[in-house]
Amino acid sequence: MTSRGAFPGLLGRRNECLLLDDLLAGARSGRSGVLVLRGEAGIGKTELLNYVVERATGCRVVRAAGVQSEMELSHAGLHQLCAPLLSGIDDLPEPQRDALCTAFGLRGGTAPDRFLVGLATLSLLADAGGNQPLVCLIDDAQWLDRASAQSLEFVARRLLAESVVLVFAVRTPSVREPTVGESITGLPELPVTGLTESDSRKLLDSVVTGPLDHRVRSRIIAETRGNPLALLELPRGLAPVDLADGFARPDVRPLSSQIEQGFLRRVQSLRAETQRLLFTAAAEPVGDVTLLRRAAERLGIAVDTAVEHAEASGLITFGTWVRFRHPLVRSAAYGAAGLDGRREVHRALADATDARLDPDRRAWHLACATAGPDETVAAELERSAGRAQARGGIAAAAAFLDRAAELTPDPARRGARALAAAQAKYRAGAFDAARGLADVAELGSLDALGSAQAKLLRAQIMSASKSASAGLPLLLDAAKRLEPLDAGLARETYRDAIYAALTAGRLPKGGVLEVAKAVLSAPRPTEPRRDDLLLEGIARLTTEGYAVGTPMLLEALAAFRTEEVPGEEGLGWLPLACRLAHSTWDFESWSVLSAGLVDLARGTGALTVLPSALLLRLSNRVFAGHLADADSLVVEATAIGEATGSRFFAHYGALVVEPWKGREPETRQAIEAITQDLLLRGEGKVVTATQWAAAVLYNGLGRYEEAYEAAKRGCENPQELGLYLQSMVEFVEASARLGRPGDAAETVRTIHDMAQASGTDWALGTSARTRALVSDGEAADALYREAIERLGATEVRTELARVQLLYGEWLRRENRRADARAHLAVAHEMLRQIGAEAFAERARRELQATGAKVRKRAAATHEALTPQEAQIARLAGEGLTNSEIGAQLFISPHTVEWHLRKVFSKLGISSRKEIRTMRLEGEATSA
């Protein structure tokens, strides 16, 4: 154990020190470790970090500290931590390298997604830990800027097989500080609590050398509640006579306030020139000694003398960096400066800061030095906001724009800047602040376009913070306002309104019908583009019928499929196009566009779009009969969900895939999770999707009454399209199997009419299938054969396999056993290969009923892979490198290698090449 003299605050911290020693030992043996030290101010968190530094022999240590005044500067804390490691940035995969360089302002580029910055940080730290165990210490993490906190939380959740330790020290909020400590959540925590009474007495006695009245000792120990810093500092505020006789008046203020007041008294006891140096150091968050000296000289301070007196006080040290003894010293010094004094030192710091190398920090100092409206400073803040946003620092951009609006003298320009700040706050997820700034903007002199954009912003906030159904009326109103002002933005807003309406589904007022009418009432372009055709097509389908809108939609989808779609346009329009391709039975467009959307989202780092893209793609792969590929996409969507703190993507992926496997517990769990999701509760699509899933499950299991009831509920809202269409198909099968074909007669006619309008083989084959189920004799036989022929011409293998099963079942009931065996054998093999185990079991039972002997599948002799291992194995088999696999699954290459070693062991192989020769379908099991 380390010496108590070096770390007096570690007295009584044996268990905490042992835990930290275990983390260091793990890093030395190739394991990662994450720990959050959480406690009140002065409780000893920093002392524990210092203990880690002393014990980290053989490790590389990097440190960072959050600073309250730095919270508005994007990636400041992350840059501070990673600065010693940036020599390895060129070894990162290109998208990650570009993201991190852009975030740190090392080069220009498009604003990187925050999760791509997180992935780049993970790779940088993992690579650094590959040569020597890496220990990352972050003090006062509650004061990290938001972008840094998000990136480091991402890294902490994704560490697994790297020699990297991440230790955060987070201050527990007091009653007066409700926002402090809200970041860095959901990670392993160690509460750092007060010392025992015995240890408190020992620590107090170590710093009080004169007489100490026993009543004073008892009161200090009781009031400090075992807080080491308080035990060390509070006696300094008492005169020797107070310590000796016990008549000092008790202080009723919070403990952190008492400690800070003690530091304040010590600051105020210093010479005026030394105080001004401390004021300046408190306002300069980086700890840059050179910058501090330049600013101090501008203030007329005799720097060397002031530094000598400041260090003699024990409140601050000047080395390579300026370091206060404790953050409470910094806040005490900053508060002691007074308003005029703070403006003076910020002005000096702005003058001392290189406008070319660090323009944003200079602008922030200028803003802090400015008392009233100042267009020059406001314009500089606006430029800083643009640079921050280009680096992916949306929260920082919002802060710059907010302050710029405050300092803007012209009312019209103030309103525009407030609106820009509100939009940035919205993108940063600060919805309440965005609403408030939107109010400020609308009180200003916004022009008509600005007013419409403010309405759009309110709609977007409502959709994001409440639900699609809540935001839909506001989106529609904003789109109408934008029509005469910005046709492109109006079109995009109508697109978002349509998407919201298709999601919200069952609305009391109009829903998608109301949006469709508004789209058709808008001026029609002279030369409609593909996005115009897409909007008009869905609008006409909704208002005038499927037969009217579908041809226009198919034309638009063909254009999207065959022509290049630029990045931003693709990210905006392809999600809707994919949904409408499904709804028009255009499987080719659905396949091409969903694959393109996933590639586009991955390639551009648009990780906010990627989860939805993956869900659209995995649904397509399920119908294509590639459940193994769909499983892989579920794993990827789950990885994103874990990284972003959302489980919805994993649940929805399971909802689509698990029913086909006949796994009732997993399907029911997904249904329950989505049904109870607070953000989705009441949305119509939830009902349709969950009931479709249940219908597929129960049809596969042969529990037709349950399938009938579920499919019937899934068919309740035709305007949702998509899975509503598939629910109709499940309803017809369940009705026919229950001997109630009359119940499905109207549904069969609806499907037939849709198929005629679509004209695709998928649609016509599905129509033939459903008509065959309610037909008899030669008519049924001919329809089954037509369905097999048409679906055989498509990639919709799951549906083809099910038609083979249905035809085989019908043939057996017709006593045509030989013919039945042929089709049932095909169905059984196809369904088994697909992984649709429940339907395959249906085929097996039917085969046995015809007298056929069904060979059981040989049991695998190797240990089953987890879903993530199976996904990594597949990607490795496709030739992807560890870095490419890690980028796709949001893990480091070291973790990929760790998983591959387990894959090799389980499969009994020794190289990546051997994976390509193995069948991985069906190998994935629950983790």
Side-chain angles (χ1 to χ4, degrees), residues 463-469 500 503-505 615 646-649 651-652 655 670-690:
S463 298
S465 62
K466 298 294 184 183
S467 65
S469 56
T503 300
L615 295 180
S646 172
R647 298 294 299 172
F648 166 75
F649 305 120
H651 294 315
Y652 195 86
L655 184 78
I671 290 173
E672 186 76 12
I674 290 177
T675 302
Q676 294 189 1
D677 191 304
L678 292 177
L679 292 178
L680 295 173
R681 191 169 294 172
E683 302 292 6
K685 185 186 175 185
V686 169
V687 177
T688 302
T690 55

Side-chain angles (χ1 to χ4, degrees), residues 434-448:
R435 286 191 193 94
L437 282 165
D439 291 339
V440 172
E442 290 183 309
L443 289 174
S445 301
L446 289 177
D447 59 15

Side-chain angles (χ1 to χ4, degrees), residues 148-381:
S148 295
Q150 288 173 334
S151 294
L152 290 171
E153 283 184 281
F154 176 99
V155 170
R157 291 193 178 96
R158 308 309 293 163
L159 286 172
L160 180 60
E162 300 81 7
S163 297
V164 177
V165 167
L166 219 58
V167 183
F168 300 90
V170 180
R171 177 174 164 183
T172 302
S174 70
V175 175
R176 295 192 308 162
E177 297 168 325
T179 61
V180 174
E182 290 180 354
S183 61
I184 317 298
T185 58
L187 302 175
E189 288 198 4
L190 175 65
V192 182
T193 57
L195 303 177
T196 65
E197 183 176 341
S198 174
D199 287 331
S200 295
R201 289 180 180 276
K202 292 177 183 176
L203 185 59
L204 181 60
D205 290 343
S206 72
V207 295
V208 178
T209 56
L212 180 61
D213 184 271
H214 70 90
R215 292 167 297 181
V216 175
R217 175 187 282 109
S218 297
R219 178 169 62 80
I220 291 175
I221 289 172
E223 290 180 354
T224 56
R225 301 188 307 278
N227 184 298
L229 184 63
L231 287 162
L232 293 170
E233 291 297 329
L234 290 187
R236 295 175 181 264
L238 297 176
V241 65
D242 294 327
L243 293 170
D245 63 25
F247 291 107
R249 186 171 59 186
D251 197 329
V252 297
R253 291 171 298 177
L255 184 60
S256 60
S257 177
Q258 292 183 49
I259 300 172
E260 187 172 341
Q261 285 299 311
F263 285 136
L264 177 60
R265 287 192 294 270
R266 292 173 63 183
V267 169
Q268 291 173 333
S269 69
L270 300 173
R271 296 168 47 177
E273 191 170 64
T274 306
Q275 286 189 49
R276 294 182 77 202
L277 178 67
L278 288 180
F279 300 162
T280 311
E284 198 290 296
V286 180
D288 185 335
V289 175
T290 303
L291 175 63
L292 180 60
R293 281 183 170 274
R294 287 203 302 267
E297 288 168 357
R298 281 171 167 77
L299 291 168
I301 297 172
V303 178
D304 291 335
T305 303
V307 166
E308 181 180 350
H309 287 125
E311 287 195 312
S313 73
L315 297 173
I316 195 171
T317 58
F318 293 82
T320 305
W321 301 98
V322 179
R323 291 287 182 260
F324 282 92
R325 181 185 173 191
H326 190 275
L328 289 176
V329 179
R330 178 190 292 275
S331 59
Y334 193 71
L339 184 58
D340 291 338
R342 287 196 292 272
R343 286 175 179 158
E344 182 184 27
V345 297
H346 278 296
R347 172 63 65 179
L349 285 165
D351 292 341
T353 300
D354 191 314
R356 182 178 58 85
L357 297 178
D358 204 351
D360 300 337
R361 189 168 278 108
R362 179 179 178 275
W364 195 251
H365 283 308
L366 281 173
C368 293
T370 304
D374 187 318
E375 176 56 30
T376 301
V377 177
E380 186 59 43
L381 287 168

